[in-house]
Amino acid sequence: MSNSVTERNTHVTMDPAALKADSRRKMTIGEIIAFILLICITITMIFPVVFMVSTALKTSKEMLQFPPTIIPRVFAWENFRTLFANEEIKFGILYKNSIIVAVVSVIGTVFSSALVAYGFTRYRAKGKRILFMLMISTMMLPYPAVMIPQFILFSNLGWVNSFLPLIVPTFLGSAYQIFLLRQFFMSLPNELYDSGRIDGCTEFRLFWKIALPLSGPALATVAIFTFIWTWNDLLGPVLYLSSQEKFTLPVGLAAMMSSKFRIAPYNLLMCASIMTTLPIIAIFASAQKHFTEGIVLTGIK
Amino acid sequence: MKQAKKKLRLLPGLILVLVFVLSACGGNSNSSGKESSGTGEKSSGPVTITYYTIDSPDRTYVEKLIPDFESAHPNIKVKVEKAPYEQFDSKLQANIAAKNAPDITSHFGYGGFAEYYNKDLLTDLTDIMNEDGFKPSDFGIQDELMDIYKVDGKTYGIPFSNYVTVLLYNKDMFDHAGLPYPPSDYEDKSWTFDKMVEVADKLTVRDDDIEKSAYGVNFGWGELDMRPAYFGVKVYSDDTWTNGGKPSETHFDSPEAIDAYQQLIDLIWDKEVSPTPAWSKSVAGQFGDPFLSGKVGMTVGGSWSLASQDQFNFKIGVAAVPYGGNDEERSVLYVDPLFVLKDSKHPKEAYEFIKFLISKDVQEKSIELSGGTPPINDQAKDKYYNSFEGVDPEAIKNVYDGANKYGVESYNHLVANYSQINELFINEFAAAENNTKPVPEVMQGIQKKLDKLLERVNK
């Protein structure tokens, strides 16, 4: 995406003839070496993905074969059907649950974090710095340290085996995302708010109509991060969810390789992995432009 | 400005309302579950017991047995909770902390029986069993196997499955080399460790090309710390087996123990009949067991490998673990017990369910539902022996009879803090397996670290 931006710029600054000449220009030795190197690195990076797809299409006998085949002798497309039809895996339900939890968490995190970050940016108050430090310090606590007290809390609320322990906390802000958004909001000039106020905006409207629309890239970053985290989260769902109807994808995937006494159905597992990574790839691809901008912009300030 | 601020003050309120609304939803969705267990406390209605297990088909088959149990016991409802292997212990820990412990479970995760026993998590079932007149023979459980989970004569776990250690061999490789198959009879005294090495040597193809190379035997007898026992060498002091798994002394650097480990390392580097760790890694890939590649003639390991044999790309047979100089112990047993946890409010009902699980019919059913779990109940074993297409049932029977007769329960169930000990061994022993350090030096290093570890954890 960033390439297209620079390309567009060259169109503007260079005349077409010069551009044509530039594209016909011979590559230097250094560039050739760099390209070869990059291609090699790309291949090593892509190989696991190729192997994932290849294993996904193997029969359970071929998957155990040595030496392993890269291109399956028989393409076992029915693995995908088996995955969705299997009564024990219930892949469709896992998928649905993961989407519910991830989407609601994204909404919750973006809204609540933006609100808190806005407050931290716009207002002066006694002890604001201490509050901010306190909030930032919660980032230092690893999940396993708070896991059990939190579990006891939610268990006493009667929330176990529901999505609530996974969703409700996201409506209470995430320290990391608040920090990220605060840095972005600080870059917005105060004059904007002043003019908004002159036009009679309420404080919430300033937030809603000025701060948020101008923060597209930062919000996209927060949304993508949150989506990926919740999409991949395993320990939380394992602790709080106990019936098969509530499980999310990572729980299902972990279960598929949980047996100590049987060979895991790696071909089905790889089918499941492909299906699981697709949404992340799709979301990242569609939001990539905003995402990279977001990281750059928040980084500068 | 003032108005704006007032409105802003409403926001936290709004959020609170949102949370309350959500929590109300949560209360509703959960109340149904609570009611059933709530009424359980009154003696009139049915009680609900929870069975906690690993979320994999060879463990969750219990779910399919529940309807039968509930129709026979209208006063007991059974709920199955499950977690992936890696998170099994964490989830159990959290539930115990939240006073929400399951009623029945086993050492399905990393921790073994000794862990549960030493943390005082287990119910002593002796009184309940005596009151009921429990006789192991009624359930086809051999006395020796029943005794594994007794401490000071008190029963803390009732066995339900009976994995043993077997020698699996690749029939195709034996046929190709024109060698006779190894015997399944434990009383066949000609089948010794040395004989096995001799056969392995004939099966081995030493070639730098990994695709042409093959090895004779992969000797995975028990975990690393247990292997001297195969040669009749004691490494843990005797009190370990009577005090809940806390050894007062260990002898991993004794000349006998070093000699035992040396014999096993020699299989790789001196006799070159066993694969190096690097070779195993490269042929086993993601599946972890080099035997599956079809390039290892014999493998000594848990009998669970049998359950997946129909997926193998070659034919297999089962044989006895060869005699290694220990007259009593030749096969490591992996007998899994069912525990009733101490926090259980319904230990009697839990015990009823355990009895149901080890009864003949249910054990027979479980073999199929779980894809080949060996029953503890001798009355159901015939069905198990006949469950593996292409493998001689008679041979499996011989191997099981001999294994249980010359069996020793795996130390990972019986020694306290085993996962730390095991990790220490895996890390330190790699130097010997990779031939980067001589065995005596490695074992002295292990002994020193183990002393420190045990001093720290067994205080």
Side-chain angles (χ1 to χ4, degrees):
Chain A
M1 279 294 165
S2 60
N3 278 351
S4 72
V5 174
T6 47
E7 250 173 41
R8 221 182 298 137
N9 287 343
T10 49
H11 275 288
V12 177
T13 51
M14 284 184 182
D15 66 291
L19 191 75
K20 226 177 180 183
D22 188 61
S23 68
R24 248 188 250 150
R25 177 181 68 94
K26 282 209 174 115
M27 284 200 287
T28 63
I29 302 268
E31 277 175 333
I32 292 172
I33 293 176
F35 263 108
I36 292 174
L37 206 72
L38 283 175
I39 288 169
C40 291
I41 294 172
T42 312
I43 289 173
T44 50
M45 298 292 280
I46 275 186
F47 186 73
V49 180
V50 172
F51 205 69
M52 172 169 87
V53 176
S54 139
T55 307
L57 296 175
K58 285 178 187 172
T59 60
S60 53
K61 263 200 171 191
E62 192 176 350
M63 119 197 152
L64 290 181
Q65 210 163 54
F66 183 84
T69 47
I70 297 293
I71 298 167
R73 268 180 286 120
V74 192
F75 286 91
W77 293 104
E78 69 271 17
N79 285 347
F80 282 94
R81 204 180 326 129
T82 316
L83 181 70
F84 280 94
N86 190 309
E87 284 288 306
E88 263 155 29
I89 303 174
K90 293 191 175 144
F91 197 70
I93 291 176
L94 297 178
Y95 222 91
K96 188 192 83 193
N97 293 341
S98 265
I99 288 176
I100 292 174
V101 172
V103 168
V104 180
S105 297
V106 166
I107 295 171
T109 307
V110 170
F111 180 73
S112 62
S113 302
L115 205 60
V116 177
Y118 184 77
F120 270 122
T121 325
R122 289 275 294 150
Y123 301 109
R124 276 177 297 168
K126 252 188 194 162
K128 182 179 130 183
R129 284 182 73 89
I130 295 174
L131 276 177
F132 191 69
M133 286 297 158
L134 213 64
M135 187 202 74
I136 292 292
S137 64
T138 60
M139 279 164 59
M140 312 288 171
L141 283 175
Y143 185 65
V146 294
M147 182 176 96
I148 292 198
Q150 217 178 57
F151 184 82
I152 294 175
L153 170 75
F154 288 129
S155 165
N156 287 340
L157 286 173
W159 287 5
V160 170
N161 200 22
S162 76
F163 293 148
L164 292 176
L166 306 173
I167 289 172
V168 172
T170 65
F171 281 86
L172 306 176
S174 134
Y176 179 83
Q177 316 290 22
I178 291 170
F179 178 69
L180 197 130
L181 283 171
R182 175 181 168 266
Q183 300 306 100
F184 191 86
F185 286 156
M186 293 213 317
S187 70
L188 299 176
N190 259 328
E191 287 77 5
L192 281 176
Y193 299 115
D194 292 342
S195 65
R197 193 160 296 134
I198 289 167
D199 289 343
C201 280
T202 59
E203 201 60 35
F204 186 75
R205 237 177 132 178
L206 287 179
F207 166 70
W208 195 253
K209 292 280 180 185
I210 296 180
L212 285 190
L214 287 173
S215 313
L219 294 176
T221 310
V222 169
I224 292 175
F225 273 149
T226 310
F227 186 85
I228 294 177
W229 281 342
T230 39
W231 191 257
N232 290 339
D233 184 24
L234 171 60
L235 195 52
V238 163
L239 284 185
Y240 291 112
L241 308 175
S242 46
S243 71
Q244 187 101 35
E245 277 61 38
K246 295 265 166 58
F247 283 170
T248 58
L249 281 170
V251 184
L253 295 191
M256 285 171 84
M257 46 188 299
S258 269
S259 177
K260 291 291 109 184
F261 296 140
R262 307 282 183 272
I263 298 171
Y266 279 98
N267 46 358
L268 295 185
L269 187 60
M270 289 302 132
C271 289
S273 305
I274 292 175
M275 299 304 296
T276 306
T277 35
L278 279 182
I280 291 191
I281 294 173
I283 281 183
F284 190 79
S286 63
Q288 191 188 26
K289 189 178 161 193
H290 293 302
F291 183 63
T292 39
E293 270 176 29
I295 288 188
V296 171
L297 286 174
T298 48
I300 293 171
K301 301 299 160 186
Chain B
M1 182 84 175
K2 246 187 175 176
Q3 223 187 355
K5 269 195 176 164
K6 253 187 190 166
K7 284 207 172 161
L8 200 72
R9 268 194 216 127
L10 285 175
L11 268 175
L14 268 173
I15 293 173
L16 271 179
V17 168
L18 185 77
V19 169
F20 278 125
V21 169
L22 281 167
S23 71
C25 300
N28 281 339
S29 71
N30 198 271
S31 57
S32 55
K34 270 207 161 160
E35 266 163 28
S36 57
S37 63
T39 47
E41 268 125 53
K42 293 170 214 158
S43 53
S44 53
V47 301
T48 300
I49 54 172
T50 310
Y51 180 94
Y52 179 51
T53 190
I54 301 268
D55 191 3
S56 68
D58 63 315
R59 296 296 193 196
T60 50
Y61 67 90
V62 172
E63 286 173 309
K64 294 177 191 144
L65 299 165
I66 291 173
D68 283 352
F69 177 76
E70 286 180 348
S71 60
H73 300 80
N75 282 328
I76 310 175
K77 294 253 170 293
V78 184
K79 200 175 91 192
V80 171
E81 284 242 16
K82 48 200 175 181
Y85 179 80
E86 297 287 330
Q87 286 76 28
F88 181 86
D89 292 345
S90 309
K91 183 164 178 162
L92 180 63
Q93 206 185 349
N95 275 297
I96 289 173
K99 306 249 175 291
N100 190 28
D103 298 280
I104 309 171
T105 189
S106 181
H107 49 211
F108 293 127
Y110 279 103
F113 165 77
E115 223 74 62
Y116 290 75
Y117 172 79
N118 285 309
K119 285 186 183 150
D120 200 20
L121 295 177
L122 305 179
T123 304
D124 172 8
L125 293 168
T126 322
D127 290 342
I128 296 177
M129 289 163 69
N130 285 345
E131 203 179 301
D132 185 54
F134 181 91
K135 266 195 270 152
S137 56
D138 291 347
F139 296 90
I141 304 179
Q142 297 165 31
D143 285 337
E144 296 77 26
L145 304 183
M146 195 66 212
D147 288 344
I148 296 172
Y149 297 106
K150 279 183 188 167
V151 181
D152 287 338
K154 292 175 188 155
T155 305
Y156 291 91
I158 300 176
F160 78 98
S161 75
N162 186 198
Y163 284 111
V164 302
T165 297
V166 296
L167 184 146
L168 293 187
Y169 58 90
N170 183 327
K171 271 190 177 169
D172 296 359
M173 276 176 77
F174 272 78
D175 291 345
H176 187 75
L179 290 167
Y181 301 141
S184 60
D185 184 5
Y186 269 73
E187 310 303 335
D188 182 341
K189 296 292 178 207
S190 71
W191 185 232
T192 61
F193 185 76
D194 292 336
K195 174 81 184 162
M196 176 191 77
V197 174
E198 205 179 290
V199 174
D201 187 61
K202 289 178 189 149
L203 291 164
T204 302
V205 182
R206 298 175 183 90
D207 197 307
D208 287 338
D209 182 354
I210 201 161
E211 285 191 29
K212 285 181 197 144
S213 63
Y215 284 98
V217 64
N218 190 28
F219 198 80
W221 194 89
E223 301 288 349
L224 287 170
D225 62 319
M226 198 168 176
R227 296 205 180 145
Y230 173 75
F231 298 101
V233 179
K234 271 184 196 167
V235 280
Y236 291 103
S237 53
D238 287 333
D239 53 0
T240 314
W241 320 122
T242 52
N243 68 8
K246 296 185 171 176
S248 57
E249 273 175 57
T250 55
H251 313 285
F252 287 97
D253 57 352
S254 72
E256 296 81 16
I258 289 173
D259 184 56
Y261 282 110
Q262 188 69 57
Q263 284 202 60
L264 295 174
I265 291 300
D266 282 349
L267 292 178
I268 307 175
W269 298 103
D270 181 49
K271 303 194 172 83
E272 295 182 349
V273 295
S274 288
T276 62
W279 189 92
S280 297
K281 267 258 148 53
S282 50
V283 305
Q286 55 196 339
F287 311 109
D289 184 355
F291 185 68
L292 300 188
S293 69
K295 299 166 71 59
V296 174
M298 298 175 276
T299 187
V300 174
S303 52
W304 46 84
S305 300
L306 265 175
S308 307
Q309 60 98 19
D310 53 344
Q311 269 176 277
F312 294 177
N313 289 293
F314 48 90
K315 286 200 187 67
I316 60 155
V318 282
V321 175
Y323 173 73
N326 188 337
D327 292 322
E328 277 152 29
E329 301 173 352
R330 256 167 87 179
S331 179
V332 182
L333 305 180
Y334 303 88
V335 172
D336 284 330
L338 288 169
F339 310 139
V340 175
L341 291 189
K342 202 150 216 179
D343 291 342
S344 168
K345 292 186 189 77
H346 311 292
K348 278 192 182 161
E349 286 80 2
Y351 164 75
E352 277 307 315
F353 188 56
I354 294 177
K355 264 192 356 186
F356 168 78
L357 289 177
I358 57 173
S359 62
K360 175 180 182 257
D361 292 348
V362 177
Q363 289 252 300
E364 279 186 347
K365 250 191 191 174
S366 305
I367 299 168
E368 215 172 288
L369 291 174
S370 67
T373 296
I376 193 76
N377 193 327
D378 281 343
Q379 300 150 13
K381 277 191 174 127
D382 265 335
K383 172 136 198 237
Y384 174 77
Y385 301 145
N386 284 289
S387 322
F388 306 100
E389 214 191 316
V391 187
D392 178 18
E394 197 59 30
I396 306 179
K397 181 183 183 333
N398 284 342
V399 164
Y400 260 84
D401 286 348
N404 281 329
K405 187 173 172 194
Y406 299 102
V408 51
E409 182 59 21
S410 175
Y411 290 178
N412 73 333
H413 296 156
L414 303 179
V415 177
N417 302 295
Y418 194 80
S419 36
Q420 281 149 292
I421 297 174
N422 196 32
E423 204 176 287
L424 170 72
F425 267 86
I426 290 170
N427 291 338
E428 300 292 319
F429 199 67
E433 282 175 330
N434 289 311
N435 208 18
T436 52
K437 261 191 205 173
V439 175
E441 194 186 315
V442 170
M443 294 324 296
Q444 277 151 12
I446 287 180
Q447 183 65 49
K448 252 183 223 148
K449 289 199 173 163
L450 188 62
D451 283 342
K452 269 190 207 147
L453 173 72
L454 292 179
E455 198 188 2
R456 185 161 51 82
V457 294
N458 284 348
K459 254 181 193 163

